[in-house]
């Protein structure tokens, strides 16, 4: 998140009850979501979810298009995922509904978690941790020696998630989240093997 596809790099500031990288604690009987590569035809539902969760500074369609333009081919430097429900919730027609997404940029051996977001009805399902796990695997595939991210200083739940995955605070970005003028905590994780990554069961 230290680099963004815009002229003024910043990370969307979530409302108090919606956070990128929510810890997603607890297991329940909700249908599992399948993670897959984000494609251009996913952008409409992704943007809908983006505007719902981050109404004040949601990413524009152009920002997502710019990221996806670097996500395929031999020179790819991005990895973007969506989470899609396999089966509908009871009494609904939610099959195929996108309920989360996340993205990573990789440049010169450094990975950058650009975003992680999950639908409100998926909070507590472990989906945020699953998305983060897959993005860290992508960082390994890109041969990144470290992964960076920014998180709001008042978002203690997300900070605890990142700490469980080996991220450590390394500094601040003053007034990074606008509007609101909220500082960002910069965190870093050195690349680990998949066997060293924490289990996400029950998170």
């Amino acid at each position: 998140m230290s680099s963004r596809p815009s002229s003024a790099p910043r990370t969307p500031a979530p409302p108090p009850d919606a956070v990128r990288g929510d810890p997603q604690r607890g297991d329940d009987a909700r249908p599992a979501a399948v993670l897959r590569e984000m494609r251009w035809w996913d952008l409409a539902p992704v943007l809908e979810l983006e505007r719902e969760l981050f109404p004040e500074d949601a990413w524009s369609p152009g920002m997502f298009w710019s990221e996806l333009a670097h996500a395929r081919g031999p020179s790819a430097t991005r990895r973007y995922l969506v989470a899609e429900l396999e089966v509908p919730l009871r009494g609904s027609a939610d099959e195929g509904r996108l309920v989360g997404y996340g993205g990573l940029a990789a440049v010169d051996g450094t990975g950058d978690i650009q975003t992680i977001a999950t639908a409100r009805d998926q909070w507590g399902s472990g989906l945020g941790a699953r998305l983060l796990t897959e993005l860290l695997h992508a960082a390994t595939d890109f041969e990144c020696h470290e992964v960076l991210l920014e998180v709001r200083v008042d978002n203690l739940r997300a900070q605890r998630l990142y700490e469980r995955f080996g991220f450590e605070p390394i500094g601040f970005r003053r007034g990074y989240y606008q509007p609101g003028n909220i500082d960002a905590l910069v965190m870093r994780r050195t690349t680990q093997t998949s066997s060293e990554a924490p289990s996400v069961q029950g998170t």
Side-chain angles (χ1 to χ4, degrees), residues 115-194:
T115 184
I116 298 177
T118 61
R120 296 175 191 273
D121 62 10
Q122 294 297 305
W123 293 0
S125 69
L127 181 56
R130 289 178 59 204
L131 285 163
L132 180 56
T133 297
E134 290 303 311
L135 294 178
L136 292 175
H137 288 165
T140 299
D141 292 341
F142 282 124
E143 300 183 346
C144 296
H145 57 83
E146 64 178 0
V147 180
L148 302 175
L149 58 80
E150 282 92 15
V151 58
R152 289 167 60 108
V153 294
D154 58 359
N155 189 348
L156 300 180
R157 293 194 307 160
Q159 291 174 35
R160 286 193 292 268
L161 170 68
Y162 299 139
E163 288 170 355
R164 293 205 313 272
F165 277 77
F167 284 89
E168 298 179 345
I170 61 171
F172 296 91
R173 295 185 186 275
R174 302 299 180 187
Y176 189 73
Y177 292 97
Q178 301 293 336
N181 200 38
I182 304 298
D183 294 344
L185 176 66
V186 183
M187 304 185 76
R188 178 175 63 193
R189 177 186 188 270
T190 56
T191 302
Q192 297 174 312
T193 64
S194 59

Side-chain angles (χ1 to χ4, degrees), residues 3-202:
S3 62
R4 294 298 303 276
S6 67
S7 58
R10 90 285 190 276
T11 299
D17 58 348
V19 296
R20 295 191 189 277
D22 183 63
Q24 313 282 338
R25 294 181 181 276
D27 289 328
D28 55 30
R30 283 175 286 190
V34 174
L35 304 187
R36 61 171 176 78
E37 179 187 6
M38 184 187 294
R39 300 300 307 277
W40 64 266
W41 52 79
D42 296 314
L43 290 187
V46 165
L47 286 164
E48 182 179 354
L49 188 55
E50 174 83 3
R51 288 188 291 265
E52 176 188 337
L53 295 174
F54 310 103
E56 293 184 329
D57 55 1
W59 281 22
S60 69
M63 293 169 74
F64 278 106
W65 275 109
S66 177
E67 291 294 279
L68 292 186
H70 299 283
R72 307 201 97 198
S75 301
T77 58
R78 302 292 192 274
R79 175 68 167 154
Y80 273 75
L81 305 170
V82 293
E84 186 175 45
L85 288 182
E86 281 189 296
V87 295
L89 296 172
R90 182 176 300 174
S92 70
D94 280 344
E95 184 175 3
R97 181 170 69 94
L98 296 189
V99 292
Y101 52 90
L104 171 109
V107 180
D108 295 331
T110 295
D112 200 328
I113 302 292
Q114 300 284 74
T115 184
I116 298 177
T118 61
R120 296 175 191 273
D121 62 10
Q122 294 297 305
W123 293 0
S125 69
L127 181 56
R130 289 178 59 204
L131 285 163
L132 180 56
T133 297
E134 290 303 311
L135 294 178
L136 292 175
H137 288 165
T140 299
D141 292 341
F142 282 124
E143 300 183 346
C144 296
H145 57 83
E146 64 178 0
V147 180
L148 302 175
L149 58 80
E150 282 92 15
V151 58
R152 289 167 60 108
V153 294
D154 58 359
N155 189 348
L156 300 180
R157 293 194 307 160
Q159 291 174 35
R160 286 193 292 268
L161 170 68
Y162 299 139
E163 288 170 355
R164 293 205 313 272
F165 277 77
F167 284 89
E168 298 179 345
I170 61 171
F172 296 91
R173 295 185 186 275
R174 302 299 180 187
Y176 189 73
Y177 292 97
Q178 301 293 336
N181 200 38
I182 304 298
D183 294 344
L185 176 66
V186 183
M187 304 185 76
R188 178 175 63 193
R189 177 186 188 270
T190 56
T191 302
Q192 297 174 312
T193 64
S194 59
S195 62
E196 295 172 313
S199 169
V200 299
Q201 290 186 341

